Amino acid sequence: MNSASVGPAIPVVIMCSSENATVISMTTVSAAEARRLALVAQGFGKSPRGRVTTEHLTDTIARLGVLQLDSVNVFERSHYLPMFSRLGTYDTALLDQMLLDPHVPATHIEYWAHEAAFIPVQSWPLWQWKMRESRERNERPDSWLAQHRKLADDLLSRLHSEGPATFSQLDGKRDERRGSWWDWSDVKVALEYLFEDGVITAIGRTNFQRIYAPVADVIPHHLLDTVVDKPVARRALVLDAVRALGIGVLSDIADYYRFKVAPTKIALDELVEAGAIQRVSVEGWTHRGESLDAYIVSGTAIPIRAPRVSTILTPFDPITWNRARASRVFGFDYKIEIYTPAAKRIYGYYSLPILFDDALVGRIDLKADRKSRTLIVKSAHWEPKRPKDAADRLSDVVRRAASWRRLENIVVDDWGDAAADLRQMF
């Protein structure tokens, strides 16, 4: 394949029905229009009428481009929630089969595409430049991997001959050889370097441990053999970030795939010149009194109405993972308080943003007591503005969340004004 022809992995065009959209032809977008663009681009308001299928899940991951992982499991692990937020109740076993159960050839793999995240395997060629740069760093004589090359080669050989394996399966007598990096063993450190280098990948997880495999054994050869130059790949990923965000400023777009700002700006300028994206301004999006440049995919349609949505988000949803963007787009100042001492927490240990239509109206801290099959609302707080039917809509969200996780009981603790509303209903 000619590298110049390679575009974003599994491109998704933002489409709206003609009666609910206008094609952007102006240079200024209202704040409300920007919110609608962001939500529609992310797939909100598109929940299927019937049962959620593997195809729905695949399409949603493709639309997002990246599905971030996180180990916190108080209510549910983070990577399950974006599907629930967009599609509604679904069987998580379907997502497990796609992402966690190892299969060859792989359809989704794990990489540092934002933080640790699942990505469609088709995007592999667009990340090879990053892997190549990592390999070059790790080939320097003074690098850790160069000094432990025999160990790394032995691990790779075992994965080739014995098949995919977790760190625990490969580590053996781990207590006898501890490393200095986060108290990991040398085996774990070597695996992480090989993973970063693109020599091995993760084709699933078990007990939240990566299942490692050599890329040559699990990724289709036509993807491994596709060479994409770094500037072309970066442009493709930057374009994909603009598409996934719907609308964003430079810092938003750079953050989506964790690029540095300067090369992202170069890619954006090239894409504007090529006509792939256009530069606009958004009312109220300013920095030190100056209007910020925002970017959209050329020909994008603005929804006339906000999507009808009542749901919760993971802290690592693309809508909220960039706290500065969540504040600018939605007026929502957000942080999780896992590392805040309990006595100093304002909203709770792991509060989840509440999304109603095009507004983030509050946050709710949920805990699944799986032994007693109970969903506990540890706290719930409203933002200053919310719709009149907010309490009814939130109670419906809580019921759906409990049903989704097969929890039979709901208990609401007395912390927060939204919790007070819920206590009258449960």
Side-chain angles (χ1 to χ4, degrees):
M1 181 186 296
N2 188 310
S3 63
S5 68
V6 176
I10 320 179
V12 178
V13 179
I14 303 169
M15 298 297 291
C16 305
S17 61
S18 58
E19 65 271 16
N20 187 34
T22 55
V23 176
I24 294 176
S25 59
M26 69 291 288
T27 58
T28 301
V29 175
S30 73
E33 289 170 335
R35 289 195 298 272
R36 294 177 218 149
L37 280 167
L39 291 166
V40 170
Q42 283 284 307
F44 288 97
K46 301 285 187 181
S47 57
R49 293 179 182 272
R51 180 177 296 180
V52 175
T53 66
T54 299
E55 184 177 1
H56 292 127
L57 298 174
T58 299
D59 289 346
T60 300
I61 296 173
R63 180 181 284 273
L64 301 181
V66 60
L67 188 63
Q68 185 174 338
L69 285 150
D70 187 73
S71 61
V72 176
N73 194 25
V74 178
F75 167 58
E76 187 52 273
R77 293 199 193 277
S78 180
H79 66 279
Y80 292 110
L81 274 165
M83 308 295 117
F84 175 73
S85 302
R86 289 156 177 78
L87 303 174
T89 300
Y90 73 99
D91 184 356
T92 56
L94 294 176
L95 195 64
D96 289 344
Q97 291 166 12
M98 289 171 52
L99 304 180
L100 302 185
D101 294 347
H103 48 274
V104 178
T107 59
H108 296 81
I109 56 168
E110 192 179 327
Y111 193 60
W112 297 106
H114 178 75
E115 295 294 326
F118 293 112
I119 57 175
V121 73
Q122 288 91 335
S123 65
W124 179 268
L126 300 181
W127 292 101
Q128 291 213 48
W129 62 271
K130 186 176 180 179
M131 301 168 189
R132 184 167 56 250
E133 290 182 351
S134 177
R135 290 195 296 273
E136 290 171 355
R137 288 193 301 272
N138 289 326
E139 287 171 358
R140 296 170 184 167
D142 60 344
S143 72
W144 188 97
L145 194 59
Q147 296 171 9
H148 296 79
R149 177 53 61 185
K150 184 179 185 306
L151 171 62
D153 289 345
D154 288 346
L155 289 169
L156 183 60
S157 178
R158 285 186 60 188
L159 288 170
H160 275 302
S161 61
E162 299 173 18
T166 65
F167 151 66
S168 296
Q169 291 168 331
L170 292 165
D171 197 34
K173 298 178 181 179
R174 57 177 299 193
D175 292 334
E176 293 182 6
R177 38 178 206 285
R178 304 300 296 178
S180 59
W181 187 9
W182 295 352
D183 203 31
W184 284 353
S185 72
D186 287 347
V187 168
K188 178 61 174 174
V189 177
L191 289 169
E192 288 299 311
Y193 275 127
L194 291 172
F195 176 80
E196 184 181 3
D197 288 358
V199 175
I200 63 176
T201 188
I203 59 169
R205 286 194 175 222
T206 180
N207 297 324
F208 215 64
Q209 284 194 40
R210 286 177 178 147
I211 301 173
Y212 295 102
V215 299
D217 294 351
V218 297
I219 292 180
H221 287 288
H222 74 278
L223 296 175
L224 293 176
D225 295 340
T226 299
V227 178
V228 186
D229 292 337
K230 179 178 177 179
V232 176
R234 198 194 298 273
R235 277 197 301 274
L237 289 168
V238 167
L239 177 59
D240 202 48
V242 177
R243 175 203 58 76
L245 289 167
I247 188 167
V249 301
L250 172 60
S251 58
D252 304 336
I253 297 161
D255 178 70
Y256 204 85
Y257 287 124
R258 291 293 165 92
F259 292 157
K260 293 182 179 178
V261 167
T264 302
K265 181 62 166 63
I266 293 172
L268 286 170
D269 289 343
E270 292 170 344
L271 289 165
V272 169
E273 185 177 355
I277 63 175
Q278 67 183 91
R279 193 179 286 112
V280 299
S281 61
V282 180
E283 293 173 353
W285 288 18
T286 60
H287 179 65
R288 296 179 179 175
E290 296 290 330
S291 177
L292 291 168
D293 285 339
Y295 301 86
I296 57 173
V297 174
S298 296
T300 294
I302 297 181
I304 296 171
R305 294 180 295 275
R308 182 67 174 174
V309 178
S310 299
T311 194
I312 53 176
L313 307 176
T314 168
F316 306 109
D317 192 289
I319 292 295
T320 50
W321 68 24
N322 183 327
R323 311 308 190 216
R325 183 171 189 265
S327 178
R328 185 186 340 106
V329 179
F330 297 98
F332 189 69
D333 293 322
Y334 179 56
K335 64 177 289 186
I336 52 176
E337 299 176 288
I338 291 177
Y339 302 110
T340 302
K344 295 183 178 181
R345 289 176 191 148
I346 300 172
Y347 298 111
Y349 177 77
Y350 195 70
S351 61
L352 309 177
I354 303 166
L355 176 66
F356 288 171
D357 305 332
D358 66 345
L360 291 170
V361 300
R363 59 203 87 197
I364 186 167
D365 189 11
L366 298 178
K367 178 179 180 179
D369 185 333
R370 296 168 180 86
K371 186 175 181 179
S372 66
R373 303 181 71 83
T374 299
L375 178 63
I376 305 171
V377 179
K378 302 293 290 182
S379 70
H381 299 80
W382 294 122
E383 290 292 285
K385 294 182 179 180
R386 59 186 183 275
K388 292 181 180 179
D389 61 349
D392 289 334
R393 292 172 69 174
L394 182 57
S395 67
D396 180 64
V397 170
V398 171
R399 288 188 181 95
R400 284 191 283 115
S403 174
W404 175 50
R405 298 324 304 135
R406 297 183 175 88
L407 302 172
E408 298 173 352
N409 311 299
I410 297 172
V411 173
V412 182
D413 290 349
D414 188 14
W415 184 8
D417 52 355
D421 289 341
L422 289 175
R423 284 171 65 86
Q424 297 181 31
M425 300 180 178
F426 295 107

